[in-house]
Amino acid sequence: MKKLITIIFTILLITNSVFAVEDTAEYLNIPFWQKFNDDILVENLLKVYHNNHDLKAAVLKTNEANRVVKMSFANELPHIGFEGYAGRIFKSSDELFGDVKIPNYAETHYYLPLTMNYEIDIWGKNHLITKSKKKQFEMVKQDERSAYIYITSAFAVDYFNLIRCDKLIDYQKQLIDLQEQAINFYKIRYEYGTAAIDEIDEAKKNLTYMKEDLAKLLEKQDILKNQISALLGDRAFEEIERNDYDSLNISFKTPDSIDFNMLDKRPDRIKSELELEKIGIDVKVAKRDLLPKFIITGNVGFNMYNLHSSHKFLADLGIVPSWDLFMGGRKLQLLKLQKDKYEIAVQKYEKTILTAIQETNDALYSMKTAENITSVTNDRLNTDIKELDYTKIKEGAGTADNLDLILQEEKLFISKKQAVSSEINKLISAINLYQALGGVDFTENNNL
C-alpha cells in the first residue's frame, strides 16, 4: 500500500511539472517599449499587464487548456478506485435450483475491494490524444501571446494619440485667441475704411470653425482617456498619467525592407502550424480507433460473509478485449471527417502566410509614407517660421500691421498642428509594424 501511494504521488508531481504554464511577463516585450524613451509609457504598460481583464482572461484560458492536457494524460495511467458493498440478506422463502432445495436463510455480505482498470495502449492511441491536447494547449498560448501584443499595442496607440490630442488642444486654443484678436483688428480696419464688413463676417465664421474643432478635440480627448482607463482596468477613470509632446524623444529609422523570416514568430502563423500538427495527430487517433482495445482489470480486497472467516481475501486479474465490429460506419466517417479538417487547416495555413505578408507590407509602406509626410510637413513648418520672421521685419518697417502678423501666426500654428499629427502618425505606424510582425522588435538591426 505504501508503494502504491508513493507511485501515485510521484505521478502527480510529474504531471504538474511537465505541463507547467510559462511566465507571461516576457510577452510584454519591455525592451522594445523602452526604446520610446518614455518611462511613463512603460509604467502604464506594466499596469496593463497586472490589471487588464482581457489579459487575465487570456491567462485563465491558457490555464484551462493546461488542465485539459493533464486530464488527457491521466487517461494514460491506471485508474484505481474503491467500489465496496455491504448488505444483509433476510429470511424470505426456500430457493429451488432444479432438485436442489436451499432453505430460507439470512446472512450479511461484505465486498470491500480496490478496483483497477488500465487500457493497454498497444497502438499508442491514448498517448496520441494527449499529444493532440498539448498542441491545442500550445495554440491557446499563442492566442494569449496575441492578446498581449494586441492590447499593449492598442494602449500605446491610444497613449500617443492622447499626447497628440493634448498638444492640438493647446494649439487650437491659441489659434482661437489669435482669431479673436484678428476680428478686433478687422474692426479697426473697417473703421478706417481699409476692410469690408464681409471680411469681419468671414473672420467670425472662421472663429466658429475653430471652436467646433476645439470641441471635437476635447471630445476625442475624453474618449481616449476612457479607452485608456478601460485598458488599465481602472474603474475610477482617474486622470491618465502621460508625457508631454515636447518631451518626446523618439526617432525610429524606417526599415528599407522586412526579412519575411521574421514573420515566423507571428502568433497566428505559429498557431496555424500547430493546428496542422494537431489535426494530423487527430487523423492518426481516428485510424487507431478502428483497432481493438485491451483493458487490464483487477480487484484486490475482501469478500466475506463472516468477519471471523479465514477465507476472506479477494484478488483477481484479467484482460478484457474490446472491438467495435459494427457501428454503422460511424468511426470510418469520423476518420474521413478528420482528413477533411486537415485539408481545411492546410488552406488556412496558406492564407495565414499571405495575410501576414500583406499586413507587414501595409504597415511598412504606411511607416515609409508617414516618414515622407513628416519630412514635407516639417519643410512647410520651417517655411512658415521664416515667413513669420519676414512679417515681423515688415511690421517693424511699417509695411505690415498687427493683423498681418496675426494671420501669419495662425498659418504657423496650423502647420504646427500638422507637424504634430505627422510625428505621432509616424510613431503609430512603427507600433503597427511591430504588431504586424507579431511582436518582433524591427529596430534591433536599425539605429534609433
Side-chain angles (χ1 to χ4, degrees):
M1 182 62 72
K2 288 183 179 179
K3 290 183 178 180
L4 179 62
I5 294 173
T6 303
I7 292 171
I8 295 173
F9 183 71
T10 303
I11 290 172
L12 290 174
L13 286 177
I14 292 173
T15 56
N16 278 288
S17 60
V18 170
F19 306 113
V21 181
E22 297 177 1
D23 184 20
T24 56
E26 63 180 26
Y27 294 162
L28 280 180
N29 200 357
I30 290 298
F32 171 74
W33 298 111
Q34 286 174 334
K35 294 181 179 180
F36 285 79
N37 299 319
D38 190 338
D39 293 337
I40 298 177
L41 171 64
V42 175
E43 290 174 5
N44 280 323
L45 286 174
L46 290 173
K47 291 179 183 178
V48 170
Y49 172 73
H50 290 293
N51 300 328
N52 184 268
H53 299 295
D54 288 326
L55 294 184
K56 289 182 179 180
V59 173
L60 291 172
K61 287 180 181 179
T62 303
N63 291 339
E64 181 183 32
N66 188 36
R67 300 188 197 287
V68 171
V69 176
K70 292 180 180 180
M71 291 167 59
S72 179
F73 181 71
N75 291 331
E76 296 185 47
L77 305 175
H79 295 175
I80 301 174
F82 175 78
E83 296 180 10
Y85 169 79
R88 175 73 177 174
I89 299 176
F90 297 98
K91 290 184 177 181
S92 54
S93 60
D94 296 341
E95 294 185 21
L96 297 176
F97 294 92
D99 296 332
V100 178
K101 177 182 178 181
I102 301 177
N104 64 77
Y105 65 95
E107 66 179 3
T108 301
H109 184 194
Y110 301 95
Y111 183 65
L112 306 172
L114 287 177
T115 61
M116 186 273 290
N117 291 283
Y118 175 61
E119 181 179 347
I120 306 173
D121 199 13
I122 295 177
W123 322 115
K125 172 189 167 185
N126 292 337
H127 183 62
L128 284 173
I129 291 175
T130 300
K131 287 181 67 176
S132 175
K133 298 301 181 184
K134 284 183 180 179
K135 295 296 181 182
Q136 182 65 42
F137 166 62
E138 291 171 7
M139 289 166 62
V140 175
K141 283 175 64 178
Q142 292 305 315
D143 287 336
E144 179 187 9
R145 180 167 162 256
S146 178
Y148 273 85
I149 295 170
Y150 173 77
I151 290 174
T152 53
S153 298
F155 178 86
V157 168
D158 285 347
Y159 176 83
F160 286 114
N161 273 327
L162 183 57
I163 290 176
R164 166 167 47 190
C165 231
D166 292 342
K167 194 62 179 177
L168 293 181
I169 288 172
D170 179 51
Y171 282 158
Q172 193 66 23
K173 287 179 178 179
Q174 293 184 60
L175 266 173
I176 290 173
D177 182 61
L178 287 171
Q179 187 63 16
E180 288 174 344
Q181 293 180 46
I183 291 172
N184 292 330
F185 283 117
Y186 272 120
K187 289 179 179 178
I188 293 173
R189 280 189 178 185
Y190 177 74
E191 292 174 359
Y192 285 98
T194 57
I197 189 66
D198 58 338
E199 290 181 300
I200 298 175
D201 293 338
E202 185 68 23
K204 289 181 178 179
K205 186 166 66 173
N206 289 337
L207 179 62
T208 61
Y209 291 151
M210 291 178 182
K211 289 182 177 180
E212 287 175 358
D213 289 341
L214 177 61
K216 292 176 181 178
L217 286 170
L218 290 170
E219 178 190 22
K220 187 173 182 179
Q221 185 186 54
D222 286 336
I223 291 173
L224 286 169
K225 286 180 180 179
N226 292 337
Q227 290 176 348
I228 290 175
S229 293
L231 290 171
L232 288 170
D234 181 11
R235 292 187 177 184
F237 285 80
E238 298 176 350
E239 184 62 26
I240 306 300
E241 187 179 1
R242 55 193 181 274
N243 210 338
D244 181 75
Y245 175 81
D246 295 327
S247 300
L248 295 180
N249 180 25
I250 311 165
S251 180
F252 288 111
K253 181 181 177 182
T254 304
D256 294 327
S257 61
I258 293 294
D259 182 1
F260 287 120
N261 290 327
M262 298 172 71
L263 299 179
D264 291 344
K265 295 183 180 180
R266 273 179 58 120
D268 58 344
R269 159 85 170 67
I270 298 174
K271 181 181 176 181
S272 61
E273 186 173 339
L274 288 169
E275 186 177 13
L276 265 177
E277 295 174 1
K278 176 188 179 302
I279 298 176
I281 294 171
D282 291 340
V283 171
K284 294 179 181 179
V285 171
K287 288 180 178 178
R288 284 160 173 74
D289 202 31
L290 298 172
L291 302 173
K293 297 187 293 186
F294 299 91
I295 301 173
I296 298 177
T297 181
N299 295 281
V300 59
F302 302 97
N303 183 20
M304 53 195 169
Y305 295 94
N306 188 334
L307 293 175
H308 303 291
S309 172
S310 59
H311 302 288
K312 55 189 178 182
F313 181 71
L314 167 69
D316 64 77
L317 184 68
I319 297 179
V320 179
S322 174
W323 195 5
D324 298 319
L325 297 177
F326 180 75
M327 296 186 66
R330 178 182 177 275
K331 290 189 175 182
L332 186 61
Q333 292 303 318
L334 179 61
L335 174 59
K336 292 180 179 180
L337 176 64
Q338 295 297 345
K339 289 182 177 180
D340 290 339
K341 286 183 177 180
Y342 184 82
E343 293 301 323
I344 293 172
V346 169
Q347 300 304 319
K348 184 178 178 181
Y349 175 74
E350 295 294 335
K351 182 182 176 182
T352 300
I353 294 175
L354 289 175
T355 301
I357 295 173
Q358 175 247 312
E359 290 180 354
T360 303
N361 281 332
D362 289 349
L364 179 60
Y365 296 153
S366 176
M367 190 173 181
K368 289 181 177 180
T369 301
E371 187 175 43
N372 291 333
I373 291 174
T374 300
S375 177
V376 172
T377 304
N378 287 335
D379 288 342
R380 184 170 63 248
L381 176 62
N382 292 330
T383 301
D384 286 336
I385 291 173
K386 290 178 181 179
E387 289 182 358
L388 178 60
D389 292 337
Y390 294 150
T391 304
K392 289 179 180 179
I393 294 172
K394 289 180 181 180
E395 184 192 27
T399 57
D401 59 9
N402 289 332
L403 180 58
D404 295 324
L405 188 61
I406 287 173
L407 294 177
Q408 190 59 48
E409 286 180 348
E410 286 184 352
K411 285 179 60 179
L412 179 59
F413 271 112
I414 292 173
S415 294
K416 284 183 176 180
K417 287 175 59 179
Q418 292 170 342
V420 169
S421 290
S422 61
E423 286 289 347
I424 297 297
N425 285 340
K426 190 168 71 169
L427 287 180
I428 292 174
S429 66
I431 295 171
N432 291 337
L433 180 58
Y434 165 80
Q435 184 176 353
L437 290 171
V440 174
D441 186 355
F442 62 89
T443 67
E444 289 183 349
N445 297 323
N446 296 280
N447 295 322
L448 290 180

